[in-house]
Amino acid sequence: MSAEFQTFFEDLVQGETHKFGQYEVKRDEVIDFARAYDPHEFHLSDEAAANSHFGRLSASGWHTCAMTMRMMVDQMHEKGLASMGGAGVDELRWMAPVYPGDVLRVESELLEKRRSRSRPEMGLIRRRNTVFNQENRAVMSFLVTGMIALRDPSAPFED
C-alpha cells in the first residue's frame, strides 16, 4: 500500500459515526445529469416539474447518489482511508426530494467490520449512510459494504 494512506482497516472502530460533506445542488448540474442519465421531464423542465408531485424541478435520485459518492470519496481522501473499492449497496431509499439550492451532507455509521478470510489483504466494513439537506431532513439512506486494506495482512485473525 502507498504511504499516502493513514487509515487502515485496523484503525476503524465499529459504532463510530462521522459527519461530513457540504455539496450545494446546482440547477445546471440537475438538468445536465437528467439529460444524460434520467430524462424524466420533472428533472428537466420547470413546467413539467410544477405539474408533478415534486412541485418544482428536482434532482434525480441517481444524481443524489452521485453527489453523495463525491462527498464520500472526498472524505476518504481527507482521512487517507485505504479504500479498495466497494462491494455493494443495499436498502437504498430516496426519502425526500432534492432541489437545486439544497446543501447536502452525510452521516455515516460503521455498523460492522470483519477481516476477509479469502483475501487476507483486506477487511470488509458495512456502513449506514444517511444524506441530509440544509434543514436536517433526511433525503436518502443506504447501506454500503466497503473493502479496506489492512495495515498488516500477516497479523493473526482475532476470533
Side-chain angles (χ1 to χ4, degrees):
M1 295 259 53
S2 167
E4 69 189 67
F5 294 117
Q6 304 157 1
T7 306
F8 291 86
F9 177 80
E10 296 90 333
D11 303 316
L12 301 176
V13 178
Q14 189 168 324
E16 273 191 345
T17 299
H18 295 275
K19 298 177 182 183
F20 58 88
Q22 183 173 350
Y23 194 103
E24 184 177 347
V25 181
K26 303 268 197 269
R27 177 184 171 76
D28 59 335
E29 289 180 2
V30 168
I31 293 169
D32 289 346
F33 186 96
R35 189 174 292 125
Y37 305 108
D38 188 356
H40 285 323
E41 285 299 312
F42 45 77
H43 298 318
L44 295 168
S45 158
D46 289 313
E47 287 116 341
N51 293 318
S52 76
H53 61 285
F54 294 114
R56 60 185 168 125
L57 191 72
S58 64
S60 164
W62 296 112
H63 187 194
T64 304
C65 291
M67 292 181 280
T68 301
M69 187 67 195
R70 179 58 197 239
M71 289 185 284
M72 289 170 51
V73 171
D74 286 350
Q75 173 74 353
M76 288 179 213
H77 289 166
E78 181 181 312
K79 298 293 183 190
L81 183 63
S83 174
M84 299 175 79
V89 170
D90 295 302
E91 299 180 25
L92 173 63
R93 299 288 180 265
W94 294 302
M95 301 151 71
V98 171
Y99 299 110
D102 282 353
V103 179
L104 305 179
R105 66 178 180 81
V106 181
E107 290 187 14
S108 182
E109 179 185 4
L110 181 58
L111 300 175
E112 58 186 87
K113 63 182 262 189
R114 67 176 175 82
R115 283 188 61 180
S116 172
R117 295 215 177 260
S118 62
R119 304 271 312 266
E121 74 279 9
M122 75 169 59
L124 298 170
I125 63 169
R126 190 134 166 104
R127 290 186 176 275
R128 175 176 311 284
N129 293 312
T130 306
V131 181
F132 294 89
N133 67 15
Q134 70 282 354
E135 297 168 350
N136 286 327
R137 182 174 185 190
V139 298
M140 185 175 76
S141 70
F142 59 98
L143 299 175
V144 65
T145 301
M147 302 176 295
I148 310 297
L150 270 75
R151 178 180 287 110
D152 182 6
S154 66
F157 276 82
E158 295 177 18
D159 290 324

